[in-house]
Amino acid sequence: IVLTQSPDTLSLSPGESASLSCRARQSTGRSVGLSRPFVAWYQQKPGQAPRLLIFGTSTRATGISDRFSGSGSGTDFTLTISRVEPEDLAVYYCQQYDTSPYTFGPGTKLEIK
Amino acid sequence: EVQLVQSGTEVKKPGESLKISCTGSGYTFSSYWIGWVRQVPGKGLEWMASIFPADSRIKYSPSFEGRVTISVDKSISTAYLHWISLEASDNAMYFCARFAVIGYFMDVWDKGTTVIVSS
């Protein structure tokens, strides 16, 4: 399963909301969705390891702010960050764990103006 | 506190072998899949392989099978990633991560091991 993410880069001012998209398709090109809502989102700040934000499409990991929320099904999944803060500067990756190999999207870089 | 601790930066020549390690603590090591994720400088994340310490079941990404070997020593709560013959394309950061008990997503990560392969 190949994941694509958009946009590549998102530049927002503090207080704005961010909507990050993740789309799934088979490596053959067929737009066949995930049979189960097994999508996770990770945040990777500069020079750090990734951190789990969301699993099961919409469940926040322990300790994650409620400003982060996930939604979606089938082929289209979204990470929403409300009231963006300077500390949200990072690359955000989606990952599907419906089918092995467990693949990541290429990431969306969030810049803060 | 649940923690993973990886071995340090490695500098190797092409053709040399390498084994990097990841030691878990603060949880029942044998009960969770543990795996490796590669990140080439400036690029994204790639899942490479995972192992279940209790019975050594292994899963490899087709992109890495045959290029690396994952193993575990559950007596010391340590997982390993091994190369027989490094190539320049193996230059990367390698993250060790624990997989959640409820699914193959990664809920605990360590800081990463930098592997530099240069002649």
Side-chain angles (χ1 to χ4, degrees):
Chain A
I1 294 176
V2 176
L3 300 180
T4 56
Q5 291 186 242
S6 61
D8 293 336
T9 303
L10 191 55
S11 184
L12 295 173
S13 298
E16 294 186 305
S17 289
S19 182
L20 285 64
S21 172
C22 176
R23 290 190 166 167
R25 62 175 173 82
Q26 297 289 333
S27 56
T28 56
R30 293 179 62 205
S31 187
V32 176
L34 305 184
S35 58
R36 299 170 292 181
F38 288 174
V39 169
W41 290 89
Y42 302 86
Q43 176 193 64
Q44 187 177 31
K45 294 183 177 181
Q48 296 186 18
R51 177 175 71 146
L52 176 68
L53 296 176
I54 301 283
F55 63 91
T57 296
S58 60
T59 302
R60 275 187 297 277
T62 302
I64 299 302
S65 168
D66 60 5
R67 296 188 300 106
F68 293 89
S69 62
S71 62
S73 65
T75 58
D76 294 300
F77 299 86
T78 301
L79 174 70
T80 301
I81 310 172
S82 60
R83 305 182 307 280
V84 162
E85 299 179 358
E87 66 187 34
D88 298 332
L89 168 73
V91 179
Y92 293 83
Y93 295 95
C94 58
Q95 178 225 342
Q96 67 81 20
Y97 53 100
D98 182 42
T99 306
S100 180
Y102 311 114
T103 45
F104 291 90
T108 290
K109 183 177 183 179
L110 176 61
E111 297 178 340
I112 310 299
K113 293 179 183 175
Chain B
E1 179 194 4
V2 176
Q3 197 174 10
L4 300 173
V5 177
Q6 295 182 229
S7 49
T9 298
E10 298 277 1
V11 181
K12 292 288 189 178
K13 291 181 167 52
E16 292 186 331
S17 65
L18 174 64
K19 182 182 273 191
I20 60 176
S21 67
C22 172
T23 300
S25 62
Y27 70 100
T28 305
F29 183 79
S30 292
S31 299
Y32 291 78
W33 287 83
I34 189 163
W36 295 92
V37 174
R38 185 176 82 170
Q39 187 168 40
V40 172
K43 302 297 184 182
L45 305 171
E46 302 171 274
W47 169 69
M48 302 175 70
S50 304
I51 191 165
F52 191 65
D55 58 12
S56 294
R57 274 180 288 156
I58 290 173
K59 296 187 179 189
Y60 284 106
S61 164
S63 298
F64 294 95
E65 189 161 18
R67 284 281 301 126
V68 296
T69 301
I70 191 170
S71 62
V72 70
D73 184 343
K74 62 183 180 182
S75 70
I76 56 171
S77 300
T78 299
Y80 302 95
L81 190 65
H82 180 220
W83 292 260
I84 292 175
S85 178
L86 287 162
E87 299 175 0
S89 60
D90 295 316
N91 271 290
M93 176 74 81
Y94 294 87
F95 293 104
C96 170
R98 188 186 79 167
F99 284 69
V101 71
I102 60 171
Y104 293 109
F105 58 91
M106 299 145 214
D107 63 352
V108 180
W109 297 69
D110 191 37
K111 301 176 185 61
T113 294
T114 299
V115 173
I116 299 168
V117 182
S118 175
S119 53

